């Protein structure tokens, strides 16, 4: 998560009664850290689990609990709190609270403001203030047909359901009904606001370094951190794509809603890509694939001696070039990490591999770091993107690729 991904957003966080309310304190902190302004509304039961003081300290705003609160601006807190808000998120949403939402009850502040969400956006456009709901309850309560009926009705009413997840429950049982973790809810919320430029599209991405075995304990590898590829996988998933990430060995969390296939060598990566490339709409090759591998990996550890050691290297297949040359090739995006002459080398690579789009960067600008500055090369020329966190660049690159992929092809 890059800082500021929710900056300028105002979120009304509703907390109903459930033990998962303690996680909403952490969620408030994360929302604020992501740049959002947060107004917390507690139900009476919610306030029994975590007190308003906690949410007030974390959000930096007055916390609302009572429909009769004398501080209500012009006696209309139920309207004012959501006026200009970008979303109402109820987390945790108890079984009882969801039932009340379905019935359109308005017997406390949170239910009233959910019912009275005004149709106005920050940009002045008229639209519903979206309602997102993160259920949290005991497994049996979740599985109860009454709850399932309510969930189906809420979805039909246009409410976005976030989770729940399966796992250990506070009551000691194991099953469906756990609230998503605060980090997951934050990811869901960030994704919710992203334009769905790749809705229904399938995207295959390679990322990270490869490791080429010299012997059972030694490899030839490179300094790629995988961060750019992972950020692209996240941005593509947030844009609505079905994303498969073929990743060399890196220590990064799999982005939400992304399927990762872990590989080690260039040959493994090649096989994993070729197996999955059919039916993909986009292929984005970000991996720093080793150009060469030892011609034969030594089956036993190479022993030290005073004599010089030479290792014969043999070229690896060029995965990107091979995919781009397929008769039914997806829209292909290549990366070019260069240490000089970026324009010449990156555009040269685009033409040599017959790619509609290449993203170039100077290694001294970004390899392994969290920020980068890149230039996009396509049939129309070069487009320099300002230095930014890789998450932001990933969004811009995905938007550019989505636009080109939707247009008639020209290389
Ligand atoms: O030609 P060069 O290796 O510099 O090209 C870099 C681009 O090609 C990157 O997109 C990289 O992921 C891809 N590539 C590949 N297979 C290789 C080498 C590079 O897919 N063996």
């Amino acid at each position: 998560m890059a800082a500021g991904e929710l900056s300028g957003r105002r979120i009304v966080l509703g907390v109903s009664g459930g033990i998962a309310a303690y996680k909403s304190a952490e969620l408030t902190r994360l929302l604020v850290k992501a740049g959002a302004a947060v107004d917390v509304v507690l139900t009476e039961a919610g306030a029994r689990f975590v007190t308003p003081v906690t949410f007030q300290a974390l959000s930096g705003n007055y916390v609302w609990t009572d429909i009769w609160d004398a501080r209500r601006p012009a006696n209309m807190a139920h309207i004012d709190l959501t006026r200009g808000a970008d979303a109402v998120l109820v987390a945790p949403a108890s079984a009882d609270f969801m039932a009340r939402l379905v019935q359109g009850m308005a017997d406390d502040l949170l239910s009233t403001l959910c019912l009275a969400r005004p149709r106005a956006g920050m940009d002045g456009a008229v639209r519903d203030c979206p309602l997102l709901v993160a259920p949290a309850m005991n497994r049996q309560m979740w599985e109860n047909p009454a709850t399932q009926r309510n969930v189906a009705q809420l979805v039909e009413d246009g409410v976005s359901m976030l989770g729940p997840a399966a796992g250990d429950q506070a009551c000691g049982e194991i099953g469906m009904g756990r609230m998503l973790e605060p980090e997951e809810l934050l990811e869901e919320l960030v994704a919710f606001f992203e334009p769905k430029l790749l809705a229904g599209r399938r995207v295959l991405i390679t990322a990270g370094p490869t490791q080429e075995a010299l012997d059972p304990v030694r490899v030839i590898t490179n300094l790629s951190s995988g961060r750019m590829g992972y950020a692209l996988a996240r941005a593509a998933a947030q844009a609505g794509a079905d994303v498969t990430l073929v990743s060399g060995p890196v220590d990064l969390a799999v982005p939400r809603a992304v399927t990762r296939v872990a590989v080690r060598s260039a040959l493994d990566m090649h096989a994993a890509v070729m197996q999955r490339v059919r039916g993909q709409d986009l292929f984005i090759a970000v991996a720093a694939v080793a150009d060469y591998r030892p011609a034969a990996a030594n089956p036993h550890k190479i022993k030290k001696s005073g004599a010089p050691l030479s290792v014969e290297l043999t070229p690896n297949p060029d995965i990107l070039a091979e995919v781009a040359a397929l008769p039914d090739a997806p829209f292909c995006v290549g990366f070019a990490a260069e240490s000089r002459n970026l324009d010449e080398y990156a555009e040269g690579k685009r033409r040599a591999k017959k790619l509609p789009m290449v993203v170039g960067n100077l290694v001294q600008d970004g390899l392994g770091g969290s920020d980068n500055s890149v230039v996009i090369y396509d049939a129309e020329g070069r487009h320099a993107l300002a230095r930014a966190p890789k998450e932001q660049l990933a969004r811009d690159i995905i938007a550019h690729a989505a636009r080109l992929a939707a247009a008639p092809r020209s290389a």
Side-chain angles (χ1 to χ4, degrees), residues 32-75:
V32 169
K33 210 169 145 200
V38 184
D39 284 307
V40 180
V41 180
L42 296 172
T43 64
E44 194 186 337
R48 289 191 177 254
F49 284 93
V50 182
T51 69
V53 177
T54 302
F55 287 105
Q56 187 149 338
L58 294 170
S59 70
N61 285 326
Y62 183 77
V63 170
W64 302 87
T65 52
D66 183 1
I67 200 161
W68 306 114
D69 193 321
R71 289 187 49 152
R72 285 174 301 167
N75 277 357

mmCIF file of all heavy atoms in Angstrom, residues 32-75:
data_model
loop_
_atom_site.group_PDB
_atom_site.id
_atom_site.type_symbol
_atom_site.label_atom_id
_atom_site.label_comp_id
_atom_site.label_asym_id
_atom_site.label_seq_id
_atom_site.Cartn_x
_atom_site.Cartn_y
_atom_site.Cartn_z
ATOM 1 N N VAL A 32 -6.714 6.372 7.959
ATOM 2 C CA VAL A 32 -6.141 7.710 8.160
ATOM 3 C C VAL A 32 -4.738 7.758 7.543
ATOM 4 O O VAL A 32 -4.370 8.704 6.848
ATOM 5 C CB VAL A 32 -6.110 8.064 9.666
ATOM 6 C CG1 VAL A 32 -5.288 9.323 9.923
ATOM 7 C CG2 VAL A 32 -7.534 8.246 10.191
ATOM 8 N N LYS A 33 -3.983 6.691 7.747
ATOM 9 C CA LYS A 33 -2.628 6.621 7.189
ATOM 10 C C LYS A 33 -2.644 6.664 5.659
ATOM 11 O O LYS A 33 -1.745 7.208 5.029
ATOM 12 C CB LYS A 33 -1.980 5.314 7.668
ATOM 13 C CG LYS A 33 -0.484 5.408 7.818
ATOM 14 C CD LYS A 33 0.038 4.201 8.546
ATOM 15 C CE LYS A 33 1.409 3.826 7.998
ATOM 16 N NZ LYS A 33 1.773 2.465 8.300
ATOM 17 N N ALA A 34 -3.708 6.098 5.075
ATOM 18 C CA ALA A 34 -3.828 6.103 3.614
ATOM 19 C C ALA A 34 -4.343 7.444 3.095
ATOM 20 O O ALA A 34 -4.541 7.618 1.906
ATOM 21 C CB ALA A 34 -4.751 4.975 3.158
ATOM 22 N N GLY A 35 -4.584 8.380 4.013
ATOM 23 C CA GLY A 35 -4.939 9.734 3.597
ATOM 24 C C GLY A 35 -6.419 10.060 3.682
ATOM 25 O O GLY A 35 -6.826 11.170 3.341
ATOM 26 N N ALA A 36 -7.253 9.097 4.128
ATOM 27 C CA ALA A 36 -8.694 9.351 4.169
ATOM 28 C C ALA A 36 -9.072 10.164 5.409
ATOM 29 O O ALA A 36 -8.410 10.087 6.440
ATOM 30 C CB ALA A 36 -9.456 8.025 4.179
ATOM 31 N N ALA A 37 -10.151 10.949 5.287
ATOM 32 C CA ALA A 37 -10.788 11.551 6.457
ATOM 33 C C ALA A 37 -11.847 10.546 6.905
ATOM 34 O O ALA A 37 -12.615 10.056 6.082
ATOM 35 C CB ALA A 37 -11.429 12.874 6.088
ATOM 36 N N VAL A 38 -11.851 10.228 8.197
ATOM 37 C CA VAL A 38 -12.744 9.160 8.679
ATOM 38 C C VAL A 38 -13.691 9.684 9.755
ATOM 39 O O VAL A 38 -13.253 10.268 10.747
ATOM 40 C CB VAL A 38 -11.914 7.980 9.256
ATOM 41 C CG1 VAL A 38 -12.830 6.826 9.656
ATOM 42 C CG2 VAL A 38 -10.868 7.507 8.258
ATOM 43 N N ASP A 39 -14.981 9.491 9.528
ATOM 44 C CA ASP A 39 -15.987 9.773 10.546
ATOM 45 C C ASP A 39 -16.530 8.446 11.024
ATOM 46 O O ASP A 39 -17.084 7.678 10.233
ATOM 47 C CB ASP A 39 -17.133 10.610 9.956
ATOM 48 C CG ASP A 39 -16.720 12.055 9.773
ATOM 49 O OD1 ASP A 39 -16.248 12.662 10.755
ATOM 50 O OD2 ASP A 39 -16.858 12.574 8.652
ATOM 51 N N VAL A 40 -16.352 8.182 12.318
ATOM 52 C CA VAL A 40 -16.792 6.888 12.856
ATOM 53 C C VAL A 40 -18.163 7.037 13.507
ATOM 54 O O VAL A 40 -18.409 7.996 14.248
ATOM 55 C CB VAL A 40 -15.773 6.346 13.879
ATOM 56 C CG1 VAL A 40 -16.242 5.005 14.443
ATOM 57 C CG2 VAL A 40 -14.395 6.203 13.240
ATOM 58 N N VAL A 41 -19.038 6.088 13.192
ATOM 59 C CA VAL A 41 -20.359 6.030 13.827
ATOM 60 C C VAL A 41 -20.480 4.665 14.488
ATOM 61 O O VAL A 41 -20.338 3.632 13.826
ATOM 62 C CB VAL A 41 -21.482 6.201 12.777
ATOM 63 C CG1 VAL A 41 -22.850 6.144 13.459
ATOM 64 C CG2 VAL A 41 -21.311 7.518 12.013
ATOM 65 N N LEU A 42 -20.706 4.657 15.776
ATOM 66 C CA LEU A 42 -20.843 3.392 16.516
ATOM 67 C C LEU A 42 -22.311 3.136 16.812
ATOM 68 O O LEU A 42 -23.049 4.064 17.165
ATOM 69 C CB LEU A 42 -20.117 3.483 17.855
ATOM 70 C CG LEU A 42 -18.599 3.671 17.839
ATOM 71 C CD1 LEU A 42 -18.098 3.929 19.264
ATOM 72 C CD2 LEU A 42 -17.936 2.444 17.286
ATOM 73 N N THR A 43 -22.733 1.878 16.700
ATOM 74 C CA THR A 43 -24.056 1.543 17.239
ATOM 75 C C THR A 43 -23.885 1.400 18.759
ATOM 76 O O THR A 43 -22.753 1.343 19.267
ATOM 77 C CB THR A 43 -24.599 0.223 16.672
ATOM 78 O OG1 THR A 43 -23.739 -0.831 17.096
ATOM 79 C CG2 THR A 43 -24.678 0.254 15.148
ATOM 80 N N GLU A 44 -24.993 1.294 19.458
ATOM 81 C CA GLU A 44 -24.925 1.159 20.908
ATOM 82 C C GLU A 44 -24.130 -0.104 21.272
ATOM 83 O O GLU A 44 -23.269 -0.076 22.154
ATOM 84 C CB GLU A 44 -26.345 1.075 21.473
ATOM 85 C CG GLU A 44 -26.387 1.283 22.963
ATOM 86 C CD GLU A 44 -27.787 1.050 23.522
ATOM 87 O OE1 GLU A 44 -28.770 1.161 22.758
ATOM 88 O OE2 GLU A 44 -27.871 0.753 24.726
ATOM 89 N N ALA A 45 -24.403 -1.201 20.524
ATOM 90 C CA ALA A 45 -23.682 -2.454 20.803
ATOM 91 C C ALA A 45 -22.210 -2.312 20.423
ATOM 92 O O ALA A 45 -21.322 -2.809 21.124
ATOM 93 C CB ALA A 45 -24.329 -3.604 20.038
ATOM 94 N N GLY A 46 -21.937 -1.617 19.315
ATOM 95 C CA GLY A 46 -20.543 -1.398 18.898
ATOM 96 C C GLY A 46 -19.755 -0.699 19.986
ATOM 97 O O GLY A 46 -18.612 -1.067 20.289
ATOM 98 N N ALA A 47 -20.382 0.307 20.625
ATOM 99 C CA ALA A 47 -19.714 1.092 21.662
ATOM 100 C C ALA A 47 -19.470 0.278 22.932
ATOM 101 O O ALA A 47 -18.692 0.674 23.795
ATOM 102 C CB ALA A 47 -20.538 2.337 21.986
ATOM 103 N N ARG A 48 -20.139 -0.888 23.040
ATOM 104 C CA ARG A 48 -19.862 -1.761 24.195
ATOM 105 C C ARG A 48 -18.577 -2.551 23.986
ATOM 106 O O ARG A 48 -17.961 -3.015 24.937
ATOM 107 C CB ARG A 48 -21.028 -2.722 24.426
ATOM 108 C CG ARG A 48 -22.239 -1.989 24.956
ATOM 109 C CD ARG A 48 -23.300 -2.937 25.431
ATOM 110 N NE ARG A 48 -24.411 -2.178 25.988
ATOM 111 C CZ ARG A 48 -24.671 -2.090 27.289
ATOM 112 N NH1 ARG A 48 -23.913 -2.714 28.164
ATOM 113 N NH2 ARG A 48 -25.689 -1.382 27.708
ATOM 114 N N PHE A 49 -18.206 -2.749 22.729
ATOM 115 C CA PHE A 49 -16.981 -3.499 22.446
ATOM 116 C C PHE A 49 -15.751 -2.594 22.442
ATOM 117 O O PHE A 49 -14.709 -2.953 22.978
ATOM 118 C CB PHE A 49 -17.101 -4.226 21.101
ATOM 119 C CG PHE A 49 -17.970 -5.438 21.172
ATOM 120 C CD1 PHE A 49 -19.320 -5.367 20.869
ATOM 121 C CD2 PHE A 49 -17.443 -6.656 21.575
ATOM 122 C CE1 PHE A 49 -20.137 -6.491 20.958
ATOM 123 C CE2 PHE A 49 -18.247 -7.790 21.658
ATOM 124 C CZ PHE A 49 -19.605 -7.704 21.354
ATOM 125 N N VAL A 50 -15.857 -1.438 21.798
ATOM 126 C CA VAL A 50 -14.740 -0.480 21.770
ATOM 127 C C VAL A 50 -15.334 0.899 22.037
ATOM 128 O O VAL A 50 -16.333 1.272 21.419
ATOM 129 C CB VAL A 50 -14.017 -0.487 20.399
ATOM 130 C CG1 VAL A 50 -12.831 0.476 20.415
ATOM 131 C CG2 VAL A 50 -13.533 -1.882 20.032
ATOM 132 N N THR A 51 -14.717 1.646 22.912
ATOM 133 C CA THR A 51 -15.330 2.919 23.296
ATOM 134 C C THR A 51 -15.058 4.000 22.246
ATOM 135 O O THR A 51 -14.067 3.926 21.513
ATOM 136 C CB THR A 51 -14.800 3.432 24.650
ATOM 137 O OG1 THR A 51 -13.439 3.824 24.474
ATOM 138 C CG2 THR A 51 -14.920 2.389 25.739
ATOM 139 N N PRO A 52 -15.919 5.007 22.198
ATOM 140 C CA PRO A 52 -15.731 6.108 21.250
ATOM 141 C C PRO A 52 -14.368 6.785 21.395
ATOM 142 O O PRO A 52 -13.801 7.252 20.413
ATOM 143 C CB PRO A 52 -16.856 7.090 21.602
ATOM 144 C CG PRO A 52 -17.903 6.259 22.272
ATOM 145 C CD PRO A 52 -17.173 5.145 22.973
ATOM 146 N N VAL A 53 -13.842 6.794 22.616
ATOM 147 C CA VAL A 53 -12.554 7.484 22.860
ATOM 148 C C VAL A 53 -11.457 6.911 21.951
ATOM 149 O O VAL A 53 -10.646 7.651 21.386
ATOM 150 C CB VAL A 53 -12.144 7.323 24.348
ATOM 151 C CG1 VAL A 53 -10.793 7.968 24.608
ATOM 152 C CG2 VAL A 53 -13.210 7.907 25.256
ATOM 153 N N THR A 54 -11.461 5.588 21.815
ATOM 154 C CA THR A 54 -10.438 4.944 20.979
ATOM 155 C C THR A 54 -10.550 5.435 19.538
ATOM 156 O O THR A 54 -9.555 5.828 18.926
ATOM 157 C CB THR A 54 -10.638 3.407 21.024
ATOM 158 O OG1 THR A 54 -10.542 3.005 22.382
ATOM 159 C CG2 THR A 54 -9.606 2.678 20.190
ATOM 160 N N PHE A 55 -11.779 5.413 19.010
ATOM 161 C CA PHE A 55 -11.964 5.827 17.611
ATOM 162 C C PHE A 55 -11.701 7.319 17.435
ATOM 163 O O PHE A 55 -11.205 7.750 16.397
ATOM 164 C CB PHE A 55 -13.374 5.476 17.132
ATOM 165 C CG PHE A 55 -13.549 3.997 16.921
ATOM 166 C CD1 PHE A 55 -14.262 3.222 17.816
ATOM 167 C CD2 PHE A 55 -12.963 3.381 15.821
ATOM 168 C CE1 PHE A 55 -14.412 1.865 17.612
ATOM 169 C CE2 PHE A 55 -13.099 2.022 15.609
ATOM 170 C CZ PHE A 55 -13.820 1.252 16.510
ATOM 171 N N GLN A 56 -12.025 8.089 18.471
ATOM 172 C CA GLN A 56 -11.791 9.526 18.384
ATOM 173 C C GLN A 56 -10.294 9.808 18.294
ATOM 174 O O GLN A 56 -9.848 10.610 17.487
ATOM 175 C CB GLN A 56 -12.403 10.221 19.598
ATOM 176 C CG GLN A 56 -12.347 11.722 19.481
ATOM 177 C CD GLN A 56 -13.530 12.374 20.188
ATOM 178 O OE1 GLN A 56 -14.576 11.748 20.404
ATOM 179 N NE2 GLN A 56 -13.379 13.615 20.556
ATOM 180 N N ALA A 57 -9.525 9.100 19.135
ATOM 181 C CA ALA A 57 -8.068 9.312 19.129
ATOM 182 C C ALA A 57 -7.490 8.893 17.778
ATOM 183 O O ALA A 57 -6.599 9.554 17.246
ATOM 184 C CB ALA A 57 -7.424 8.510 20.261
ATOM 185 N N LEU A 58 -7.984 7.801 17.212
ATOM 186 C CA LEU A 58 -7.403 7.279 15.981
ATOM 187 C C LEU A 58 -7.845 8.042 14.738
ATOM 188 O O LEU A 58 -7.082 8.191 13.790
ATOM 189 C CB LEU A 58 -7.747 5.782 15.824
ATOM 190 C CG LEU A 58 -7.109 4.877 16.871
ATOM 191 C CD1 LEU A 58 -7.690 3.473 16.799
ATOM 192 C CD2 LEU A 58 -5.597 4.831 16.695
ATOM 193 N N SER A 59 -9.094 8.518 14.748
ATOM 194 C CA SER A 59 -9.590 9.224 13.551
ATOM 195 C C SER A 59 -9.298 10.717 13.634
ATOM 196 O O SER A 59 -9.274 11.412 12.625
ATOM 197 C CB SER A 59 -11.095 9.016 13.385
ATOM 198 O OG SER A 59 -11.809 9.706 14.402
ATOM 199 N N GLY A 60 -9.115 11.212 14.854
ATOM 200 C CA GLY A 60 -8.922 12.649 15.033
ATOM 201 C C GLY A 60 -10.235 13.415 14.858
ATOM 202 O O GLY A 60 -10.244 14.634 14.773
ATOM 203 N N ASN A 61 -11.347 12.692 14.794
ATOM 204 C CA ASN A 61 -12.658 13.335 14.634
ATOM 205 C C ASN A 61 -13.610 12.918 15.745
ATOM 206 O O ASN A 61 -13.462 11.835 16.321
ATOM 207 C CB ASN A 61 -13.292 12.926 13.291
ATOM 208 C CG ASN A 61 -12.633 13.642 12.130
ATOM 209 O OD1 ASN A 61 -12.217 14.793 12.253
ATOM 210 N ND2 ASN A 61 -12.524 12.960 11.012
ATOM 211 N N TYR A 62 -14.594 13.758 15.977
ATOM 212 C CA TYR A 62 -15.657 13.422 16.919
ATOM 213 C C TYR A 62 -16.322 12.123 16.482
ATOM 214 O O TYR A 62 -16.521 11.895 15.292
ATOM 215 C CB TYR A 62 -16.673 14.564 16.961
ATOM 216 C CG TYR A 62 -17.782 14.346 17.963
ATOM 217 C CD1 TYR A 62 -17.553 14.539 19.320
ATOM 218 C CD2 TYR A 62 -19.036 13.931 17.545
ATOM 219 C CE1 TYR A 62 -18.558 14.321 20.243
ATOM 220 C CE2 TYR A 62 -20.053 13.713 18.462
ATOM 221 C CZ TYR A 62 -19.810 13.912 19.819
ATOM 222 O OH TYR A 62 -20.806 13.694 20.722
ATOM 223 N N VAL A 63 -16.632 11.269 17.431
ATOM 224 C CA VAL A 63 -17.243 9.980 17.101
ATOM 225 C C VAL A 63 -18.727 10.017 17.442
ATOM 226 O O VAL A 63 -19.113 10.472 18.516
ATOM 227 C CB VAL A 63 -16.527 8.831 17.858
ATOM 228 C CG1 VAL A 63 -17.288 7.517 17.723
ATOM 229 C CG2 VAL A 63 -15.117 8.668 17.308
ATOM 230 N N TRP A 64 -19.535 9.527 16.527
ATOM 231 C CA TRP A 64 -20.990 9.620 16.656
ATOM 232 C C TRP A 64 -21.563 8.300 17.148
ATOM 233 O O TRP A 64 -21.205 7.237 16.637
ATOM 234 C CB TRP A 64 -21.605 9.975 15.303
ATOM 235 C CG TRP A 64 -21.061 11.255 14.761
ATOM 236 C CD1 TRP A 64 -19.936 11.414 14.007
ATOM 237 C CD2 TRP A 64 -21.586 12.561 14.983
ATOM 238 N NE1 TRP A 64 -19.733 12.738 13.724
ATOM 239 C CE2 TRP A 64 -20.728 13.472 14.314
ATOM 240 C CE3 TRP A 64 -22.693 13.066 15.684
ATOM 241 C CZ2 TRP A 64 -20.948 14.845 14.321
ATOM 242 C CZ3 TRP A 64 -22.906 14.432 15.672
ATOM 243 C CH2 TRP A 64 -22.045 15.309 15.004
ATOM 244 N N THR A 65 -22.429 8.375 18.146
ATOM 245 C CA THR A 65 -23.033 7.153 18.671
ATOM 246 C C THR A 65 -24.555 7.283 18.804
ATOM 247 O O THR A 65 -25.261 6.289 18.795
ATOM 248 C CB THR A 65 -22.492 6.819 20.078
ATOM 249 O OG1 THR A 65 -22.633 7.975 20.891
ATOM 250 C CG2 THR A 65 -21.045 6.379 20.026
ATOM 251 N N ASP A 66 -25.026 8.506 18.928
ATOM 252 C CA ASP A 66 -26.389 8.695 19.399
ATOM 253 C C ASP A 66 -27.155 9.582 18.428
ATOM 254 O O ASP A 66 -26.698 10.680 18.085
ATOM 255 C CB ASP A 66 -26.295 9.364 20.788
ATOM 256 C CG ASP A 66 -27.656 9.545 21.425
ATOM 257 O OD1 ASP A 66 -28.655 9.141 20.802
ATOM 258 O OD2 ASP A 66 -27.690 10.106 22.535
ATOM 259 N N ILE A 67 -28.306 9.116 18.027
ATOM 260 C CA ILE A 67 -29.114 9.917 17.101
ATOM 261 C C ILE A 67 -29.614 11.204 17.765
ATOM 262 O O ILE A 67 -29.949 12.173 17.094
ATOM 263 C CB ILE A 67 -30.281 9.077 16.525
ATOM 264 C CG1 ILE A 67 -30.800 9.728 15.245
ATOM 265 C CG2 ILE A 67 -31.381 8.851 17.556
ATOM 266 C CD1 ILE A 67 -31.605 8.812 14.366
ATOM 267 N N TRP A 68 -29.613 11.193 19.122
ATOM 268 C CA TRP A 68 -30.090 12.386 19.842
ATOM 269 C C TRP A 68 -28.947 13.281 20.303
ATOM 270 O O TRP A 68 -29.138 14.191 21.098
ATOM 271 C CB TRP A 68 -30.943 11.973 21.057
ATOM 272 C CG TRP A 68 -32.062 11.061 20.666
ATOM 273 C CD1 TRP A 68 -32.214 9.756 21.016
ATOM 274 C CD2 TRP A 68 -33.157 11.372 19.803
ATOM 275 N NE1 TRP A 68 -33.322 9.228 20.425
ATOM 276 C CE2 TRP A 68 -33.940 10.207 19.671
ATOM 277 C CE3 TRP A 68 -33.556 12.522 19.114
ATOM 278 C CZ2 TRP A 68 -35.075 10.162 18.896
ATOM 279 C CZ3 TRP A 68 -34.703 12.463 18.349
ATOM 280 C CH2 TRP A 68 -35.450 11.300 18.241
ATOM 281 N N ASP A 69 -27.721 13.012 19.768
ATOM 282 C CA ASP A 69 -26.542 13.786 20.171
ATOM 283 C C ASP A 69 -26.776 15.285 19.929
ATOM 284 O O ASP A 69 -27.111 15.689 18.814
ATOM 285 C CB ASP A 69 -25.340 13.303 19.324
ATOM 286 C CG ASP A 69 -24.022 13.813 19.869
ATOM 287 O OD1 ASP A 69 -23.975 14.976 20.320
ATOM 288 O OD2 ASP A 69 -23.046 13.039 19.839
ATOM 289 N N ALA A 70 -26.571 16.085 20.986
ATOM 290 C CA ALA A 70 -26.834 17.522 20.884
ATOM 291 C C ALA A 70 -25.870 18.202 19.907
ATOM 292 O O ALA A 70 -26.100 19.326 19.480
ATOM 293 C CB ALA A 70 -26.726 18.167 22.268
ATOM 294 N N ARG A 71 -24.740 17.518 19.593
ATOM 295 C CA ARG A 71 -23.770 18.140 18.677
ATOM 296 C C ARG A 71 -24.152 17.981 17.209
ATOM 297 O O ARG A 71 -23.435 18.430 16.335
ATOM 298 C CB ARG A 71 -22.392 17.505 18.886
ATOM 299 C CG ARG A 71 -21.766 17.905 20.191
ATOM 300 C CD ARG A 71 -20.352 17.403 20.265
ATOM 301 N NE ARG A 71 -19.609 17.736 19.042
ATOM 302 C CZ ARG A 71 -18.318 17.926 18.997
ATOM 303 N NH1 ARG A 71 -17.596 17.826 20.085
ATOM 304 N NH2 ARG A 71 -17.710 18.193 17.869
ATOM 305 N N ARG A 72 -25.265 17.289 16.944
ATOM 306 C CA ARG A 72 -25.644 17.090 15.557
ATOM 307 C C ARG A 72 -25.685 18.424 14.828
ATOM 308 O O ARG A 72 -26.370 19.344 15.296
ATOM 309 C CB ARG A 72 -27.043 16.458 15.462
ATOM 310 C CG ARG A 72 -27.076 15.001 15.805
ATOM 311 C CD ARG A 72 -28.485 14.510 15.840
ATOM 312 N NE ARG A 72 -29.271 15.264 16.827
ATOM 313 C CZ ARG A 72 -30.589 15.231 16.903
ATOM 314 N NH1 ARG A 72 -31.266 14.534 16.026
ATOM 315 N NH2 ARG A 72 -31.223 15.895 17.818
ATOM 316 N N PRO A 73 -24.993 18.545 13.685
ATOM 317 C CA PRO A 73 -25.072 19.814 12.964
ATOM 318 C C PRO A 73 -26.503 20.000 12.473
ATOM 319 O O PRO A 73 -27.037 19.137 11.783
ATOM 320 C CB PRO A 73 -24.103 19.641 11.787
ATOM 321 C CG PRO A 73 -23.602 18.241 11.836
ATOM 322 C CD PRO A 73 -24.184 17.537 13.016
ATOM 323 N N ALA A 74 -27.109 21.075 12.845
ATOM 324 C CA ALA A 74 -28.466 21.431 12.430
ATOM 325 C C ALA A 74 -29.446 20.268 12.598
ATOM 326 O O ALA A 74 -30.357 20.099 11.787
ATOM 327 C CB ALA A 74 -28.457 21.902 10.977
ATOM 328 N N ASN A 75 -29.200 19.461 13.632
ATOM 329 C CA ASN A 75 -30.084 18.320 13.928
ATOM 330 C C ASN A 75 -30.190 17.311 12.787
ATOM 331 O O ASN A 75 -31.174 16.593 12.685
ATOM 332 C CB ASN A 75 -31.503 18.812 14.279
ATOM 333 C CG ASN A 75 -31.562 19.225 15.733
ATOM 334 O OD1 ASN A 75 -30.566 19.078 16.457
ATOM 335 N ND2 ASN A 75 -32.698 19.734 16.150
#
